[in-house]
């Protein structure tokens, strides 16, 4: 069964709207979660690493003020796309490791959120 | 810069054939290797993981790892049209939790 739950699965909204996406680890604690973005027919791009209780680590070129990440508990990380514009339309996917740092556990992905900005 | 490379494809094989997907990585200290399958419009799902040199079999799937050559592959026996998807190779280093994903290889199994 699913180990990572992501919600909502699809969002369609007007330009200028802020959109919040939730990522939950089910039945395990995730001190670290990852947020990816994927444009059509392109590869996964890591946006940021979400760390429980501390600031997220953003990849080069990702605007931290545009993509707000909050990881307030061991089972929940949220990504807020602020003042979204059509170019932010994409497939956003979160993931988490089952194990702690240094383990061989794989990343498990949520089902993804398809964001469409009109 | 840690890199993971894959042939983008598309790789086309007839139904029932063996599909061979390849991946090379640059970080010699990498310890864990994973293959994910991603159907169009869906998120990646884990197929196999491998940590030691040699082969690891799971049903129709066999992962092969050669750390000396920095090479990992995935073989799919008796390929089915439902195997048509993009296959992502992921590599994890010795420290930290970050994975490095390859760009993926698109596989098309023709009926």
């Amino acid at each position: 069964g699913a180990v990572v739950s992501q919600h909502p699965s699809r969002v369609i909204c007007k330009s200028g709207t802020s959109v919040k996406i939730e990522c939950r680890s089910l039945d395990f604690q995730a001190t670290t979660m990852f947020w990816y973005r994927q444009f059509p027919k392109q590869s996964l791009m890591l946006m940021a690493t979400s760390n429980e209780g501390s600031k997220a680590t953003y990849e080069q070129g990702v605007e931290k003020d545009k993509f707000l990440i909050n990881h307030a508990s061991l089972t929940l990380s949220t990504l807020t796309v602020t003042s979204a514009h059509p170019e932010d339309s994409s497939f956003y996917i979160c993931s988490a490791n089952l194990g702690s740092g240094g383990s061989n556990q794989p990343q498990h992905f949520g089902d993804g959120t398809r964001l469409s900005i009109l | 810069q840690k890199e993971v490379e894959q042939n983008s494809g598309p790789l086309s094989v007839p139904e029932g054939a063996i599909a061979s997907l390849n991946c090379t990585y640059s970080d010699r200290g990498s310890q864990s290797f994973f293959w994910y399958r991603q159907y169009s419009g869906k998120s990646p799902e884990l197929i196999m993981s491998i940590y030691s040199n040699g082969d690891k079999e799971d049903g129709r799937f066999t992962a092969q790892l050669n750390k000396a050559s920095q090479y990992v592959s995935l073989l799919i026996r008796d390929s089915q049209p439902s195997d048509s998807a993009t296959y992502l190779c992921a590599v994890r280093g010795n420290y930290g939790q970050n994975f490095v994903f390859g760009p993926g290889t698109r596989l098309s199994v023709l009926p």
Side-chain angles (χ1 to χ4, degrees):
Chain A
V3 296
V4 176
S5 173
Q6 187 172 343
H7 178 82
S9 59
R10 184 172 180 92
V11 179
I12 301 174
C13 57
K14 294 180 179 180
S15 183
T17 306
S18 292
V19 178
K20 180 185 281 188
I21 303 170
E22 293 187 348
C23 182
R24 293 181 184 274
S25 57
L26 305 178
D27 300 324
F28 72 100
Q29 294 179 337
T31 55
T32 303
M33 293 185 177
F34 304 92
W35 288 97
Y36 294 86
R37 179 169 54 182
Q38 188 174 39
F39 292 107
K41 298 189 178 182
Q42 294 189 22
S43 59
L44 282 174
M45 290 178 51
L46 179 65
M47 298 176 66
T49 302
S50 172
N51 305 299
E52 188 271 334
S54 64
K55 292 182 179 180
T57 305
Y58 290 83
E59 295 300 301
Q60 191 173 8
V62 178
E63 299 175 58
K64 61 180 181 180
D65 296 329
K66 171 79 171 177
F67 300 98
L68 301 179
I69 292 174
N70 184 282
H71 195 153
S73 78
L74 286 170
T75 60
L76 174 64
S77 174
T78 61
L79 168 68
T80 301
V81 183
T82 61
S83 187
H85 292 284
E87 59 266 29
D88 297 321
S89 298
S90 187
F91 191 43
Y92 292 85
I93 316 172
C94 71
S95 72
N97 291 343
L98 280 175
S100 58
S103 74
N104 286 331
Q105 292 297 321
Q107 284 190 17
H108 291 273
F109 288 87
D111 287 339
T113 297
R114 187 158 304 281
L115 176 62
S116 300
I117 307 298
L118 305 177
Chain B
Q1 179 77 15
K2 300 176 182 178
E3 293 183 348
V4 176
E5 297 184 350
Q6 297 179 254
N7 188 323
S8 62
L11 172 65
S12 296
V13 300
E15 184 174 357
I18 296 176
S20 177
L21 304 162
N22 304 316
C23 172
T24 58
Y25 58 95
S26 63
D27 182 6
R28 189 169 287 278
S30 299
Q31 296 295 318
S32 309
F33 307 87
F34 307 91
W35 282 99
Y36 289 83
R37 175 175 63 197
Q38 186 177 24
Y39 291 113
S40 180
K42 302 293 185 182
S43 65
E45 56 179 325
L46 180 69
I47 297 177
M48 290 195 68
S49 57
I50 187 167
Y51 312 109
S52 304
N53 281 328
D55 295 0
K56 179 181 178 182
E57 186 175 318
D58 184 0
R60 295 187 296 114
F61 299 99
T62 298
Q64 300 175 317
L65 175 61
N66 184 325
K67 288 186 179 180
S69 299
Q70 295 174 239
Y71 174 94
V72 58
S73 66
L74 178 70
L75 300 178
I76 306 175
R77 289 182 298 282
D78 187 24
S79 296
Q80 301 297 310
S82 58
D83 294 326
S84 298
T86 297
Y87 289 80
L88 302 169
C89 172
V91 176
R92 184 178 184 181
N94 201 23
Y95 301 99
Q97 301 195 50
N98 284 21
F99 281 38
V100 180
F101 282 89
T105 297
R106 190 154 54 93
L107 172 67
S108 179
V109 180
L110 307 174

